[in-house]
Amino acid sequence: MICPLYEDLPLELVWASNFLPNEPALSDRCQRAYYQNHGEPLLVQYAKQEAEKKERVVVENSDWLIVVPYWATWPYQTLLLPRRHVLRINELTEVERESLAAIMKQLLTKYDNLFEVSFPYSMGWHGAPTGPHLKEDNSHWQLHAHYYPPLLRSATVKKFMVGYEMLAQEQRDLTPEQVTDLHTLALYNNQHVLCILQYT
């Protein structure tokens, strides 16, 4: 359901800020530290490991990999990663853009068919910061996208972050491996919100 204030707007929203918010700032620090210690971007190495093990892979193609990351908090949370090192979405080739559309369709189909409903989710991209950071060396960054769906065990049971999870520690309802086993589904259509965060 769309808020009446936004009912005439498309579902794709872009939020921009002139600072690096908490989540991407933490991601920046972790990716930078890993790169300084290992000489390779953290998420590039992570994608290679997940592609080899295939324990948490939901869908993949020649350019992209979608996994339920081992640190997932939401039961059906997924992480979308390019197979090559890419800093920002505008650096994708035409072939990568086409294969991105294809793999996103595959994932959304799996989501929709999981409980046979139009599966709700929030999705957003994290890329290397821009604005004053544009000319910095951002080799440690890897473009990636997060999907956060709230459904838990059925179309009517949702996960809400409250109390202990918000103030102390997030709790897992299903392991990433259990969720990956459930992601075996067919075509369906979906409404969604795409959130692109730009840091200028």
Side-chain angles (χ1 to χ4, degrees):
M1 181 175 210
I2 302 171
C3 172
L5 287 172
Y6 302 110
E7 63 186 18
D8 294 330
L9 296 176
L11 291 176
E12 288 80 17
L13 303 173
V14 176
W15 292 8
S17 61
N18 62 355
F19 62 93
L20 201 57
N22 292 345
E23 290 298 318
L26 176 60
S27 181
D28 182 67
R29 286 195 302 274
C30 292
Q31 290 183 84
R32 186 182 301 275
Y34 186 91
Y35 188 80
Q36 289 170 345
N37 290 331
H38 301 278
E40 182 177 21
L42 170 65
L43 291 177
V44 171
Q45 179 59 32
Y46 178 65
K48 287 179 187 173
Q49 289 179 7
E50 290 287 11
E52 287 172 12
K53 292 182 180 178
K54 300 213 182 296
E55 293 174 349
R56 291 177 283 268
V57 174
V58 178
V59 287
E60 60 183 320
N61 63 27
S62 58
D63 300 309
W64 299 92
L65 180 74
I66 299 180
V67 301
V68 179
Y70 68 84
W71 61 84
T73 299
W74 298 92
Y76 298 101
Q77 175 179 336
T78 53
L79 179 66
L80 171 59
L81 296 159
R83 290 191 185 266
R84 76 173 178 94
H85 186 202
V86 182
L87 297 183
R88 300 177 183 92
I89 202 164
N90 63 314
E91 296 174 10
L92 297 176
T93 66
E94 184 176 347
V95 170
E96 287 169 332
R97 290 194 302 270
E98 289 175 2
S99 62
L100 172 60
I103 201 165
M104 289 174 72
K105 175 64 176 170
Q106 284 181 280
L107 177 66
L108 298 183
T109 295
K110 287 179 174 289
Y111 276 147
D112 284 344
N113 285 284
L114 187 60
F115 301 129
E116 298 183 349
V117 296
S118 183
F119 204 89
Y121 64 88
S122 293
M123 181 266 197
W125 288 96
H126 281 164
T130 58
H133 306 284
L134 191 58
K135 297 194 190 254
E136 294 176 7
D137 181 5
N138 286 295
S139 301
H140 59 288
W141 260 95
Q142 173 70 330
L143 176 71
H144 59 282
H146 300 275
Y147 284 84
Y148 299 123
L151 298 187
L152 178 53
R153 288 182 292 275
S154 73
T156 57
V157 179
K158 296 182 180 178
K159 178 178 178 69
F160 294 97
M161 299 280 277
V162 295
Y164 185 81
E165 289 187 291
M166 293 177 73
L167 300 169
Q169 181 173 320
E170 296 151 343
Q171 301 297 296
R172 287 196 186 168
D173 304 282
L174 298 168
T175 68
E177 294 78 12
Q178 288 171 316
V179 170
T180 305
D181 287 342
L182 296 173
H183 268 292
T184 53
L185 321 158
L187 290 168
Y188 204 56
N189 201 4
N190 193 10
Q191 289 186 328
H192 59 280
V193 173
L194 166 62
C195 177
I196 300 173
L197 302 178
Q198 182 175 343
Y199 318 111
T200 57

